[in-house]
Amino acid sequence: MPLLDILLYPDRRLRKQAKPVKQVTEDIRQLIDDMAETMYAAPGIGLAATQVNVHQRILVIDTSEERNDLRVFINPIIDSGQGETETEEGCLSLPGIRAPVMRLESITLSAKDRLGDEFTLVADGLLAICIQHEIDHLNGKVMVDYLSRLKHDRIRKHLLKEQHEQTVRHAGASAI
Ligand code: NI
């Protein structure tokens, strides 16, 4: 199975609104498998389809220490939430960046699993934070949107510079 390319902020495609999955087909399951493999390889604890340039409402998450508890959320909806918690978050689309984000502390969520069956889940702790972070991606939102404009701009410029330097390095290497 191929690893998928992860879009890097400020790529505009990260701003697209993902559409609900109408039917959970074999193609969707193949995409889920590829997304999971990409997430584990990165390594990361969550990945939204938006980040691999597929604009459908699909998330894969594994917040377990052992990396053996893959969770799949298709068309996830947060039905209710309680409390507030602030954590330093990271994101595969913003390598090397950490930012404090305020989230609901616990959530009740409904979604479909990889077989297309509906389920509900009560989540708290890291799982709840991760689900909210990934749902933001489906809505075209990234964690730096929660920061002040000044900090946001600084991070944007820093990442653009890094991406530019990497492109130059790659171009140099292939010229040899
Ligand atoms: Ni992210």
Side-chain angles (χ1 to χ4, degrees):
M1 280 182 286
L3 291 184
L4 305 168
D5 287 332
I6 297 175
L7 299 179
L8 296 178
Y9 179 84
D11 194 308
R12 283 176 183 278
R13 291 169 291 180
L14 287 169
R15 294 303 186 186
K16 284 195 183 180
Q17 278 278 334
K19 295 205 166 71
V21 174
K22 288 198 183 116
Q23 210 185 344
V24 183
T25 59
E26 266 318 303
D27 284 352
I28 295 286
R29 276 189 277 275
Q30 182 63 55
L31 170 67
I32 288 167
D33 291 345
D34 293 345
M35 283 174 62
E37 199 179 338
T38 304
M39 173 187 76
Y40 285 121
I45 61 171
L47 188 69
T50 305
Q51 291 176 278
V52 293
N53 199 28
V54 175
H55 302 282
Q56 301 203 58
R57 304 189 76 84
I58 303 168
L59 314 175
V60 294
I61 290 177
D62 188 345
T63 53
S64 70
E65 293 269 334
E66 300 80 15
R67 316 285 287 147
N68 60 1
D69 185 22
L70 179 67
R71 292 169 187 266
V72 174
F73 301 92
I74 299 170
N75 301 342
I77 291 172
I78 294 174
D79 299 312
S80 62
Q82 271 194 322
E84 280 188 325
T85 181
E86 192 183 62
T87 319
E88 289 262 311
E89 297 182 14
C91 179
L92 293 176
S93 294
L94 292 109
I97 304 294
R98 309 283 300 171
V101 183
M102 190 72 85
R103 303 282 188 192
L104 293 164
E105 197 168 26
S106 75
I107 55 173
T108 303
L109 170 109
S110 50
K112 284 183 176 178
D113 64 18
R114 57 173 290 133
L115 297 175
D117 294 326
E118 287 268 358
F119 67 95
T120 60
L121 175 78
V122 179
D124 59 12
L126 182 58
L127 178 59
I129 292 165
C130 189
I131 290 169
Q132 292 170 80
H133 175 117
E134 302 307 338
I135 288 178
D136 271 357
H137 278 302
L138 301 181
N139 295 327
K141 194 163 181 174
V142 290
M143 63 180 193
V144 287
D145 297 347
Y146 293 97
L147 301 177
S148 69
R149 176 162 284 247
L150 184 72
K151 280 189 186 156
H152 189 149
D153 278 352
R154 205 178 290 154
I155 288 172
R156 190 172 174 277
K157 279 181 191 140
H158 169 76
L159 287 174
L160 276 173
K161 187 164 165 268
E162 284 214 332
Q163 286 162 28
H164 175 71
E165 280 169 4
Q166 262 178 16
T167 308
V168 171
R169 268 204 298 278
H170 285 156
S174 62
I176 294 169

